[in-house]
Amino acid sequence: MNRPAGPIAKTAIAAAIVIELIITVSLTWISVVSSGRVIRPDDVPPGSTLLVLGSLVSDGRPGDYVRGRLDTAVDVFRSGRAAHIIDSGNGSADAGDEPAVMRSYLLARGVPGDRIVYDGLGMDTAASCRRAREVFGATTLVVVTQDFHLRRAIALCRDAGVDARGVPAHCSCPVTGQIRNHLRETVFAGPRALWTMMW
C-alpha cells in the first residue's frame, strides 16, 4: 500500500516546486529582456562603448574567461566600431586589481589609454551595469562576456537604464568549467538577477 507522504516529504516537495518556479521565472525574464540583443562583432554600431566584465586574474595576467572577453573587445576596437572600453571588475589588491590587469592587456594590444575606462568597483554584473550608467554616463553600450553570462548581463544593464546589447566573447576554457558556469547561471545567478531587478 502507498503511504501518505509525511511532513518532511511534503516540505521537500513544496520547496522543490518553489525553486523550480523561481528558476523558470528568472530564465523567462532574462530571455524576454535580452531577446534580439545578442549581436555579432560585425554588427556592433560604430562609436559604441564596450563594457568588458571582469573575472579571475592571477599574477598580473588575465584568466581564460577575461582574456577571451578582452580579445573580443580588441577585435571590435580594431574594426573601428568601439569608441571606448570600460574595464569593470574588482579593483581590490586581494583580487589582483582586475581592471588594472585588463587595462594593461588592452594597452599591450594597441588600444590607446584614453579609450580605456577603469572601473574598480564593478564587484558583480549588476554593479558594473549600474555604474556604467550612473558613474560613467553610458546610456547605450555593448556588453562583452561569454555566452553563458551574456543574456543575464544584458538584462541587468537594461534594468539599470542602459540600452544594452551584447557580443559573445571568445573562450578557450575547460569544458568542465563551462558546464559548471552554465549550471551556476541557471540555478543561482539567474534567480539572483531577478531578485536584484525586483528590489
Side-chain angles (χ1 to χ4, degrees):
M1 294 179 62
N2 294 326
R3 296 181 179 180
I8 295 177
K10 289 181 179 178
T11 300
I13 292 170
I17 292 171
V18 170
I19 291 170
E20 183 177 356
L21 179 61
I22 292 172
I23 290 172
T24 300
V25 171
S26 64
L27 290 175
T28 301
W29 168 68
I30 290 170
S31 178
V32 169
V33 175
S34 66
S35 178
R37 291 180 172 268
V38 176
I39 59 177
R40 301 176 305 168
D42 290 345
D43 294 328
V44 172
S48 290
T49 295
L50 306 184
L51 175 62
V52 182
L53 299 174
S55 187
L56 181 68
V57 300
S58 180
D59 297 325
R61 301 177 64 180
D64 291 339
Y65 293 100
V66 72
R67 184 171 62 251
R69 299 169 191 180
L70 292 167
D71 286 342
T72 302
V74 169
D75 289 345
V76 175
F77 183 84
R78 287 176 177 169
S79 75
R81 295 178 177 276
H84 295 91
I85 300 174
I86 301 175
D87 289 341
S88 186
N90 187 338
S92 70
D94 289 343
D97 196 345
E98 293 172 4
V101 172
M102 295 161 73
R103 177 182 176 85
S104 295
Y105 190 90
L106 292 173
L107 288 172
R109 283 149 184 81
V111 180
D114 62 355
R115 300 293 188 92
I116 305 170
V117 178
Y118 175 99
D119 177 20
L121 294 177
M123 300 303 182
D124 57 29
T125 305
S128 294
C129 291
R130 184 175 62 252
R131 288 176 55 78
R133 178 72 178 89
E134 297 177 357
V135 178
F136 303 111
T139 55
T140 63
L141 55 76
V142 177
V143 186
V144 182
T145 188
Q146 277 76 28
D147 61 351
F148 62 81
H149 181 204
L150 188 57
R151 289 186 177 276
R152 177 170 63 89
I154 292 170
L156 285 168
C157 282
R158 293 196 69 197
D159 182 63
V162 180
D163 181 10
R165 287 172 173 74
V167 169
H170 308 307
C171 192
S172 300
C173 311
V175 174
T176 54
Q178 294 188 55
I179 293 172
R180 182 179 65 250
N181 280 310
H182 277 285
L183 288 173
R184 183 180 66 83
E185 284 291 320
T186 300
V187 178
F188 299 108
R192 181 184 175 191
L194 180 63
W195 179 263
T196 299
M197 183 273 295
M198 293 175 63
W199 301 103

